[in-house]
Amino acid sequence: MSSLIVVLIVVVAAFFILRTTIRVVPQQRAWVVERLGKYHAVLEPGLNFIIPFLDRIAFRFDMREVPMEVPAQVCISLDNTTMTVDGVLYLQITDSVKAAYGSSNPFTSVIQLAQTTMRSEIGKLHLDAALSSRQLLNTAVAASVDEAAVNWGVKVLRYEIKDITPPQEIIRAMELQITAEREKRALIAKSEGQRQQQINTSEGQRQQDINVADGRKQAEVLRAQGEAAAIQLVAEATAAAIRVIGDAAQAPGGIEALQMQLAKDYIEKWGNLAKVGTSLVIPADLGNIGALVGTALAMVKQSGGQHGAAKA
């Protein structure tokens, strides 16, 4: 019975020793081993052996990328406006030894450094710039934290702002500002449309006036040309009539016929003179019809003589 108990104790002790000696490290993990309280080695993924009672696993690190939330914090902008900012930090342990001994808690250190850096970067910008410069803030925080986290064995891959929340009073003021800006743009667009409409109307009226003026000018030119042509035709017809009368006066009996016609026309005109006006101007020799007829005949003879000379 006692021998069985001894065998059982030996088996349990051997199992315990093997269990503490053999260590299987998962993929993308790093275990830091201390021997007698001092750093000894880093166990890589796979099968590893340590010395029981002398070695111990002091730290276990996940070497994969780890997303960590950065708690919301109140930041003050350059124009003394408060806002609440939170984000997500993506980290990866690249040196397990530095992560074990460079800081008591590397993740907490990185998060606190990210918060202080964000407050500093927000303090350099006005509210409007801070709200519209997320990518700039993300890059600045990631670069600053990554530079400091090298001593902690941590690589900062990127930082992303989740939300920037100004106070409700600022949000309402911004909404009013946006509404006013939209109304301003609408009024400007409307005035520009009216201005363009007035320009188009005035240009159309101007072109219409020019067309009307050109039409009137052309009409006056055509009318003047027509009147000149009519005067020329009347003058030519009158000249032709006078030549015909002169030729007729040179023929035998032409003078007597011309005297008779002149006397007849004179009497008719004199008879109609009182019908067309109330005031009459009577020549002194009005009763001497023969003298008037003689004067007319002399003019006819003179015209006939000139016409005959022209023919000769």
Side-chain angles (χ1 to χ4, degrees), residues 242-264 290 292-305:
I242 293 174
R243 285 195 296 271
V244 171
I245 293 173
D247 294 338
Q250 298 297 324
I255 296 299
E256 290 78 4
L258 183 59
Q259 290 177 349
M260 181 62 70
Q261 184 64 37
L262 289 174
K264 181 180 178 182
L292 294 174
V293 173
T295 302
L297 289 176
M299 293 175 61
V300 171
K301 288 180 180 180
Q302 184 178 0
S303 175

PDB file of all heavy atoms in Angstrom, residues 242-264 290 292-305:
ATOM      1  N   ILE A 242     -42.723 120.757-123.604  1.00  0.00           N
ATOM      2  CA  ILE A 242     -42.340 122.092-124.110  1.00  0.00           C
ATOM      3  C   ILE A 242     -41.731 121.970-125.504  1.00  0.00           C
ATOM      4  O   ILE A 242     -42.001 122.786-126.401  1.00  0.00           O
ATOM      5  CB  ILE A 242     -41.373 122.766-123.120  1.00  0.00           C
ATOM      6  CG1 ILE A 242     -42.100 123.095-121.806  1.00  0.00           C
ATOM      7  CG2 ILE A 242     -40.765 124.012-123.725  1.00  0.00           C
ATOM      8  CD1 ILE A 242     -41.191 123.626-120.725  1.00  0.00           C
ATOM      9  N   ARG A 243     -40.903 120.951-125.714  1.00  0.00           N
ATOM     10  CA  ARG A 243     -40.324 120.762-127.040  1.00  0.00           C
ATOM     11  C   ARG A 243     -41.416 120.493-128.089  1.00  0.00           C
ATOM     12  O   ARG A 243     -41.365 120.996-129.220  1.00  0.00           O
ATOM     13  CB  ARG A 243     -39.319 119.601-126.996  1.00  0.00           C
ATOM     14  CG  ARG A 243     -37.999 119.968-126.317  1.00  0.00           C
ATOM     15  CD  ARG A 243     -36.938 118.925-126.620  1.00  0.00           C
ATOM     16  NE  ARG A 243     -37.284 117.623-126.071  1.00  0.00           N
ATOM     17  CZ  ARG A 243     -36.961 117.211-124.866  1.00  0.00           C
ATOM     18  NH1 ARG A 243     -36.273 118.027-124.065  1.00  0.00           N
ATOM     19  NH2 ARG A 243     -37.295 116.017-124.445  1.00  0.00           N
ATOM     20  N   VAL A 244     -42.389 119.707-127.693  1.00  0.00           N
ATOM     21  CA  VAL A 244     -43.499 119.420-128.639  1.00  0.00           C
ATOM     22  C   VAL A 244     -44.263 120.700-128.983  1.00  0.00           C
ATOM     23  O   VAL A 244     -44.630 120.976-130.137  1.00  0.00           O
ATOM     24  CB  VAL A 244     -44.443 118.363-128.042  1.00  0.00           C
ATOM     25  CG1 VAL A 244     -45.700 118.227-128.911  1.00  0.00           C
ATOM     26  CG2 VAL A 244     -43.728 117.031-127.967  1.00  0.00           C
ATOM     27  N   ILE A 245     -44.532 121.538-127.946  1.00  0.00           N
ATOM     28  CA  ILE A 245     -45.256 122.793-128.188  1.00  0.00           C
ATOM     29  C   ILE A 245     -44.446 123.708-129.095  1.00  0.00           C
ATOM     30  O   ILE A 245     -44.944 124.370-130.012  1.00  0.00           O
ATOM     31  CB  ILE A 245     -45.576 123.483-126.844  1.00  0.00           C
ATOM     32  CG1 ILE A 245     -46.584 122.639-126.053  1.00  0.00           C
ATOM     33  CG2 ILE A 245     -46.121 124.885-127.066  1.00  0.00           C
ATOM     34  CD1 ILE A 245     -46.838 123.149-124.651  1.00  0.00           C
ATOM     35  N   GLY A 246     -43.104 123.748-128.799  1.00  0.00           N
ATOM     36  CA  GLY A 246     -42.254 124.587-129.643  1.00  0.00           C
ATOM     37  C   GLY A 246     -42.253 124.115-131.088  1.00  0.00           C
ATOM     38  O   GLY A 246     -42.306 124.933-132.022  1.00  0.00           O
ATOM     39  N   ASP A 247     -42.191 122.803-131.292  1.00  0.00           N
ATOM     40  CA  ASP A 247     -42.242 122.279-132.659  1.00  0.00           C
ATOM     41  C   ASP A 247     -43.567 122.614-133.332  1.00  0.00           C
ATOM     42  O   ASP A 247     -43.627 122.969-134.525  1.00  0.00           O
ATOM     43  CB  ASP A 247     -42.019 120.756-132.647  1.00  0.00           C
ATOM     44  CG  ASP A 247     -40.592 120.390-132.190  1.00  0.00           C
ATOM     45  OD1 ASP A 247     -39.711 121.272-132.294  1.00  0.00           O
ATOM     46  OD2 ASP A 247     -40.379 119.245-131.727  1.00  0.00           O
ATOM     47  N   ALA A 248     -44.650 122.500-132.549  1.00  0.00           N
ATOM     48  CA  ALA A 248     -45.971 122.804-133.118  1.00  0.00           C
ATOM     49  C   ALA A 248     -46.101 124.281-133.466  1.00  0.00           C
ATOM     50  O   ALA A 248     -46.765 124.674-134.439  1.00  0.00           O
ATOM     51  CB  ALA A 248     -47.073 122.408-132.131  1.00  0.00           C
ATOM     52  N   ALA A 249     -45.468 125.162-132.659  1.00  0.00           N
ATOM     53  CA  ALA A 249     -45.572 126.599-132.933  1.00  0.00           C
ATOM     54  C   ALA A 249     -44.840 126.969-134.219  1.00  0.00           C
ATOM     55  O   ALA A 249     -45.172 127.977-134.870  1.00  0.00           O
ATOM     56  CB  ALA A 249     -45.007 127.389-131.765  1.00  0.00           C
ATOM     57  N   GLN A 250     -43.827 126.232-134.633  1.00  0.00           N
ATOM     58  CA  GLN A 250     -43.083 126.512-135.841  1.00  0.00           C
ATOM     59  C   GLN A 250     -43.825 126.083-137.107  1.00  0.00           C
ATOM     60  O   GLN A 250     -43.508 126.530-138.210  1.00  0.00           O
ATOM     61  CB  GLN A 250     -41.713 125.793-135.786  1.00  0.00           C
ATOM     62  CG  GLN A 250     -40.821 126.250-134.633  1.00  0.00           C
ATOM     63  CD  GLN A 250     -40.449 127.714-134.746  1.00  0.00           C
ATOM     64  OE1 GLN A 250     -40.241 128.239-135.870  1.00  0.00           O
ATOM     65  NE2 GLN A 250     -40.395 128.403-133.607  1.00  0.00           N
ATOM     66  N   ALA A 251     -44.809 125.227-136.923  1.00  0.00           N
ATOM     67  CA  ALA A 251     -45.582 124.755-138.084  1.00  0.00           C
ATOM     68  C   ALA A 251     -46.540 125.863-138.556  1.00  0.00           C
ATOM     69  O   ALA A 251     -46.873 126.774-137.790  1.00  0.00           O
ATOM     70  CB  ALA A 251     -46.349 123.489-137.708  1.00  0.00           C
ATOM     71  N   PRO A 252     -47.002 125.805-139.801  1.00  0.00           N
ATOM     72  CA  PRO A 252     -47.963 126.814-140.301  1.00  0.00           C
ATOM     73  C   PRO A 252     -49.246 126.788-139.482  1.00  0.00           C
ATOM     74  O   PRO A 252     -49.826 125.712-139.237  1.00  0.00           O
ATOM     75  CB  PRO A 252     -48.204 126.378-141.755  1.00  0.00           C
ATOM     76  CG  PRO A 252     -46.974 125.594-142.130  1.00  0.00           C
ATOM     77  CD  PRO A 252     -46.538 124.916-140.914  1.00  0.00           C
ATOM     78  N   GLY A 253     -49.709 127.945-139.034  1.00  0.00           N
ATOM     79  CA  GLY A 253     -50.913 128.074-138.218  1.00  0.00           C
ATOM     80  C   GLY A 253     -50.710 127.695-136.781  1.00  0.00           C
ATOM     81  O   GLY A 253     -51.662 127.730-136.003  1.00  0.00           O
ATOM     82  N   GLY A 254     -49.481 127.361-136.400  1.00  0.00           N
ATOM     83  CA  GLY A 254     -49.245 126.946-135.025  1.00  0.00           C
ATOM     84  C   GLY A 254     -49.332 128.092-134.049  1.00  0.00           C
ATOM     85  O   GLY A 254     -49.807 127.931-132.927  1.00  0.00           O
ATOM     86  N   ILE A 255     -48.882 129.293-134.509  1.00  0.00           N
ATOM     87  CA  ILE A 255     -48.912 130.448-133.605  1.00  0.00           C
ATOM     88  C   ILE A 255     -50.340 130.822-133.285  1.00  0.00           C
ATOM     89  O   ILE A 255     -50.683 131.117-132.137  1.00  0.00           O
ATOM     90  CB  ILE A 255     -48.144 131.628-134.244  1.00  0.00           C
ATOM     91  CG1 ILE A 255     -46.654 131.284-134.409  1.00  0.00           C
ATOM     92  CG2 ILE A 255     -48.303 132.875-133.376  1.00  0.00           C
ATOM     93  CD1 ILE A 255     -45.941 131.000-133.130  1.00  0.00           C
ATOM     94  N   GLU A 256     -51.207 130.818-134.299  1.00  0.00           N
ATOM     95  CA  GLU A 256     -52.604 131.193-134.061  1.00  0.00           C
ATOM     96  C   GLU A 256     -53.271 130.196-133.128  1.00  0.00           C
ATOM     97  O   GLU A 256     -54.031 130.567-132.208  1.00  0.00           O
ATOM     98  CB  GLU A 256     -53.361 131.259-135.401  1.00  0.00           C
ATOM     99  CG  GLU A 256     -52.961 132.417-136.300  1.00  0.00           C
ATOM    100  CD  GLU A 256     -51.650 132.166-137.037  1.00  0.00           C
ATOM    101  OE1 GLU A 256     -51.124 131.016-136.853  1.00  0.00           O
ATOM    102  OE2 GLU A 256     -51.118 133.070-137.685  1.00  0.00           O
ATOM    103  N   ALA A 257     -52.981 128.900-133.325  1.00  0.00           N
ATOM    104  CA  ALA A 257     -53.577 127.890-132.435  1.00  0.00           C
ATOM    105  C   ALA A 257     -53.062 128.046-131.007  1.00  0.00           C
ATOM    106  O   ALA A 257     -53.823 127.920-130.042  1.00  0.00           O
ATOM    107  CB  ALA A 257     -53.244 126.482-132.961  1.00  0.00           C
ATOM    108  N   LEU A 258     -51.785 128.395-130.862  1.00  0.00           N
ATOM    109  CA  LEU A 258     -51.225 128.578-129.544  1.00  0.00           C
ATOM    110  C   LEU A 258     -51.816 129.789-128.847  1.00  0.00           C
ATOM    111  O   LEU A 258     -52.099 129.765-127.657  1.00  0.00           O
ATOM    112  CB  LEU A 258     -49.709 128.708-129.656  1.00  0.00           C
ATOM    113  CG  LEU A 258     -48.941 128.848-128.329  1.00  0.00           C
ATOM    114  CD1 LEU A 258     -49.203 127.655-127.425  1.00  0.00           C
ATOM    115  CD2 LEU A 258     -47.457 129.006-128.585  1.00  0.00           C
ATOM    116  N   GLN A 259     -52.044 130.891-129.647  1.00  0.00           N
ATOM    117  CA  GLN A 259     -52.677 132.079-129.068  1.00  0.00           C
ATOM    118  C   GLN A 259     -54.077 131.757-128.577  1.00  0.00           C
ATOM    119  O   GLN A 259     -54.488 132.177-127.485  1.00  0.00           O
ATOM    120  CB  GLN A 259     -52.718 133.186-130.116  1.00  0.00           C
ATOM    121  CG  GLN A 259     -51.357 133.758-130.443  1.00  0.00           C
ATOM    122  CD  GLN A 259     -51.433 134.806-131.550  1.00  0.00           C
ATOM    123  OE1 GLN A 259     -52.489 134.946-132.204  1.00  0.00           O
ATOM    124  NE2 GLN A 259     -50.332 135.520-131.780  1.00  0.00           N
ATOM    125  N   MET A 260     -54.796 130.992-129.407  1.00  0.00           N
ATOM    126  CA  MET A 260     -56.169 130.635-129.027  1.00  0.00           C
ATOM    127  C   MET A 260     -56.169 129.789-127.738  1.00  0.00           C
ATOM    128  O   MET A 260     -56.971 129.999-126.843  1.00  0.00           O
ATOM    129  CB  MET A 260     -56.841 129.878-130.180  1.00  0.00           C
ATOM    130  CG  MET A 260     -58.298 129.488-129.887  1.00  0.00           C
ATOM    131  SD  MET A 260     -59.367 130.931-129.625  1.00  0.00           S
ATOM    132  CE  MET A 260     -59.406 131.590-131.300  1.00  0.00           C
ATOM    133  N   GLN A 261     -55.222 128.859-127.619  1.00  0.00           N
ATOM    134  CA  GLN A 261     -55.171 127.980-126.445  1.00  0.00           C
ATOM    135  C   GLN A 261     -54.793 128.761-125.196  1.00  0.00           C
ATOM    136  O   GLN A 261     -55.354 128.564-124.119  1.00  0.00           O
ATOM    137  CB  GLN A 261     -54.175 126.843-126.691  1.00  0.00           C
ATOM    138  CG  GLN A 261     -54.113 125.816-125.549  1.00  0.00           C
ATOM    139  CD  GLN A 261     -55.426 125.068-125.381  1.00  0.00           C
ATOM    140  OE1 GLN A 261     -56.110 124.759-126.401  1.00  0.00           O
ATOM    141  NE2 GLN A 261     -55.804 124.813-124.137  1.00  0.00           N
ATOM    142  N   LEU A 262     -53.832 129.692-125.338  1.00  0.00           N
ATOM    143  CA  LEU A 262     -53.439 130.500-124.196  1.00  0.00           C
ATOM    144  C   LEU A 262     -54.566 131.387-123.703  1.00  0.00           C
ATOM    145  O   LEU A 262     -54.795 131.553-122.498  1.00  0.00           O
ATOM    146  CB  LEU A 262     -52.223 131.341-124.546  1.00  0.00           C
ATOM    147  CG  LEU A 262     -50.894 130.582-124.704  1.00  0.00           C
ATOM    148  CD1 LEU A 262     -49.800 131.521-125.190  1.00  0.00           C
ATOM    149  CD2 LEU A 262     -50.490 129.933-123.398  1.00  0.00           C
ATOM    150  N   ALA A 263     -55.280 131.957-124.631  1.00  0.00           N
ATOM    151  CA  ALA A 263     -56.404 132.822-124.244  1.00  0.00           C
ATOM    152  C   ALA A 263     -57.484 132.025-123.546  1.00  0.00           C
ATOM    153  O   ALA A 263     -58.064 132.455-122.534  1.00  0.00           O
ATOM    154  CB  ALA A 263     -56.958 133.517-125.487  1.00  0.00           C
ATOM    155  N   LYS A 264     -57.720 130.827-124.056  1.00  0.00           N
ATOM    156  CA  LYS A 264     -58.735 129.970-123.431  1.00  0.00           C
ATOM    157  C   LYS A 264     -58.330 129.574-122.015  1.00  0.00           C
ATOM    158  O   LYS A 264     -59.125 129.659-121.078  1.00  0.00           O
ATOM    159  CB  LYS A 264     -58.933 128.735-124.294  1.00  0.00           C
ATOM    160  CG  LYS A 264     -59.988 127.785-123.744  1.00  0.00           C
ATOM    161  CD  LYS A 264     -60.126 126.581-124.664  1.00  0.00           C
ATOM    162  CE  LYS A 264     -61.150 125.616-124.095  1.00  0.00           C
ATOM    163  NZ  LYS A 264     -61.287 124.406-124.948  1.00  0.00           N
ATOM    164  N   GLY A 290     -54.302 140.930-124.554  1.00  0.00           N
ATOM    165  CA  GLY A 290     -53.443 140.823-125.722  1.00  0.00           C
ATOM    166  C   GLY A 290     -51.977 140.924-125.359  1.00  0.00           C
ATOM    167  O   GLY A 290     -51.134 140.224-125.929  1.00  0.00           O
ATOM    168  N   LEU A 292     -50.622 140.139-122.492  1.00  0.00           N
ATOM    169  CA  LEU A 292     -50.213 138.889-121.821  1.00  0.00           C
ATOM    170  C   LEU A 292     -50.004 137.777-122.825  1.00  0.00           C
ATOM    171  O   LEU A 292     -49.036 137.024-122.755  1.00  0.00           O
ATOM    172  CB  LEU A 292     -51.261 138.476-120.794  1.00  0.00           C
ATOM    173  CG  LEU A 292     -51.416 139.428-119.589  1.00  0.00           C
ATOM    174  CD1 LEU A 292     -52.589 138.977-118.713  1.00  0.00           C
ATOM    175  CD2 LEU A 292     -50.128 139.478-118.794  1.00  0.00           C
ATOM    176  N   VAL A 293     -50.882 137.695-123.775  1.00  0.00           N
ATOM    177  CA  VAL A 293     -50.756 136.658-124.796  1.00  0.00           C
ATOM    178  C   VAL A 293     -49.508 136.896-125.621  1.00  0.00           C
ATOM    179  O   VAL A 293     -48.777 135.973-125.987  1.00  0.00           O
ATOM    180  CB  VAL A 293     -52.020 136.608-125.685  1.00  0.00           C
ATOM    181  CG1 VAL A 293     -51.821 135.655-126.854  1.00  0.00           C
ATOM    182  CG2 VAL A 293     -53.217 136.159-124.860  1.00  0.00           C
ATOM    183  N   GLY A 294     -49.220 138.165-125.912  1.00  0.00           N
ATOM    184  CA  GLY A 294     -48.026 138.465-126.680  1.00  0.00           C
ATOM    185  C   GLY A 294     -46.760 138.057-125.942  1.00  0.00           C
ATOM    186  O   GLY A 294     -45.815 137.550-126.542  1.00  0.00           O
ATOM    187  N   THR A 295     -46.741 138.326-124.661  1.00  0.00           N
ATOM    188  CA  THR A 295     -45.583 137.928-123.856  1.00  0.00           C
ATOM    189  C   THR A 295     -45.385 136.413-123.894  1.00  0.00           C
ATOM    190  O   THR A 295     -44.272 135.912-124.058  1.00  0.00           O
ATOM    191  CB  THR A 295     -45.749 138.397-122.414  1.00  0.00           C
ATOM    192  OG1 THR A 295     -45.911 139.814-122.393  1.00  0.00           O
ATOM    193  CG2 THR A 295     -44.536 138.010-121.567  1.00  0.00           C
ATOM    194  N   ALA A 296     -46.480 135.683-123.736  1.00  0.00           N
ATOM    195  CA  ALA A 296     -46.401 134.219-123.780  1.00  0.00           C
ATOM    196  C   ALA A 296     -45.930 133.748-125.121  1.00  0.00           C
ATOM    197  O   ALA A 296     -45.118 132.823-125.237  1.00  0.00           O
ATOM    198  CB  ALA A 296     -47.771 133.625-123.435  1.00  0.00           C
ATOM    199  N   LEU A 297     -46.426 134.369-126.210  1.00  0.00           N
ATOM    200  CA  LEU A 297     -46.025 133.952-127.547  1.00  0.00           C
ATOM    201  C   LEU A 297     -44.550 134.231-127.770  1.00  0.00           C
ATOM    202  O   LEU A 297     -43.840 133.456-128.423  1.00  0.00           O
ATOM    203  CB  LEU A 297     -46.873 134.680-128.590  1.00  0.00           C
ATOM    204  CG  LEU A 297     -48.344 134.229-128.671  1.00  0.00           C
ATOM    205  CD1 LEU A 297     -49.118 135.092-129.663  1.00  0.00           C
ATOM    206  CD2 LEU A 297     -48.418 132.766-129.079  1.00  0.00           C
ATOM    207  N   ALA A 298     -44.095 135.373-127.254  1.00  0.00           N
ATOM    208  CA  ALA A 298     -42.670 135.681-127.401  1.00  0.00           C
ATOM    209  C   ALA A 298     -41.815 134.627-126.725  1.00  0.00           C
ATOM    210  O   ALA A 298     -40.783 134.196-127.237  1.00  0.00           O
ATOM    211  CB  ALA A 298     -42.388 137.073-126.821  1.00  0.00           C
ATOM    212  N   MET A 299     -42.237 134.193-125.557  1.00  0.00           N
ATOM    213  CA  MET A 299     -41.501 133.149-124.847  1.00  0.00           C
ATOM    214  C   MET A 299     -41.543 131.854-125.632  1.00  0.00           C
ATOM    215  O   MET A 299     -40.530 131.141-125.735  1.00  0.00           O
ATOM    216  CB  MET A 299     -42.084 132.923-123.449  1.00  0.00           C
ATOM    217  CG  MET A 299     -41.898 134.115-122.505  1.00  0.00           C
ATOM    218  SD  MET A 299     -42.712 133.873-120.921  1.00  0.00           S
ATOM    219  CE  MET A 299     -41.838 132.456-120.369  1.00  0.00           C
ATOM    220  N   VAL A 300     -42.679 131.551-126.252  1.00  0.00           N
ATOM    221  CA  VAL A 300     -42.796 130.316-127.040  1.00  0.00           C
ATOM    222  C   VAL A 300     -41.893 130.394-128.247  1.00  0.00           C
ATOM    223  O   VAL A 300     -41.227 129.439-128.633  1.00  0.00           O
ATOM    224  CB  VAL A 300     -44.271 130.075-127.435  1.00  0.00           C
ATOM    225  CG1 VAL A 300     -44.375 128.937-128.435  1.00  0.00           C
ATOM    226  CG2 VAL A 300     -45.085 129.760-126.191  1.00  0.00           C
ATOM    227  N   LYS A 301     -41.888 131.592-128.932  1.00  0.00           N
ATOM    228  CA  LYS A 301     -41.038 131.737-130.104  1.00  0.00           C
ATOM    229  C   LYS A 301     -39.559 131.579-129.733  1.00  0.00           C
ATOM    230  O   LYS A 301     -38.773 130.959-130.436  1.00  0.00           O
ATOM    231  CB  LYS A 301     -41.267 133.104-130.732  1.00  0.00           C
ATOM    232  CG  LYS A 301     -42.621 133.207-131.447  1.00  0.00           C
ATOM    233  CD  LYS A 301     -42.781 134.595-132.049  1.00  0.00           C
ATOM    234  CE  LYS A 301     -44.135 134.728-132.778  1.00  0.00           C
ATOM    235  NZ  LYS A 301     -44.315 136.086-133.370  1.00  0.00           N
ATOM    236  N   GLN A 302     -39.197 132.202-128.560  1.00  0.00           N
ATOM    237  CA  GLN A 302     -37.809 132.086-128.124  1.00  0.00           C
ATOM    238  C   GLN A 302     -37.435 130.639-127.864  1.00  0.00           C
ATOM    239  O   GLN A 302     -36.367 130.169-128.240  1.00  0.00           O
ATOM    240  CB  GLN A 302     -37.595 132.935-126.869  1.00  0.00           C
ATOM    241  CG  GLN A 302     -36.129 132.945-126.411  1.00  0.00           C
ATOM    242  CD  GLN A 302     -35.950 133.831-125.190  1.00  0.00           C
ATOM    243  OE1 GLN A 302     -36.932 134.423-124.703  1.00  0.00           O
ATOM    244  NE2 GLN A 302     -34.728 133.953-124.733  1.00  0.00           N
ATOM    245  N   SER A 303     -38.370 129.938-127.228  1.00  0.00           N
ATOM    246  CA  SER A 303     -38.107 128.507-126.948  1.00  0.00           C
ATOM    247  C   SER A 303     -38.039 127.747-128.237  1.00  0.00           C
ATOM    248  O   SER A 303     -37.189 126.865-128.426  1.00  0.00           O
ATOM    249  CB  SER A 303     -39.213 127.957-126.055  1.00  0.00           C
ATOM    250  OG  SER A 303     -39.041 126.595-125.874  1.00  0.00           O
ATOM    251  N   GLY A 304     -38.897 128.077-129.159  1.00  0.00           N
ATOM    252  CA  GLY A 304     -38.868 127.372-130.458  1.00  0.00           C
ATOM    253  C   GLY A 304     -37.599 127.646-131.206  1.00  0.00           C
ATOM    254  O   GLY A 304     -37.042 126.764-131.856  1.00  0.00           O
ATOM    255  N   GLY A 305     -37.126 128.942-131.169  1.00  0.00           N
ATOM    256  CA  GLY A 305     -35.884 129.279-131.860  1.00  0.00           C
ATOM    257  C   GLY A 305     -34.719 128.492-131.284  1.00  0.00           C
ATOM    258  O   GLY A 305     -33.856 127.997-132.022  1.00  0.00           O
TER     259      GLY A 305
END
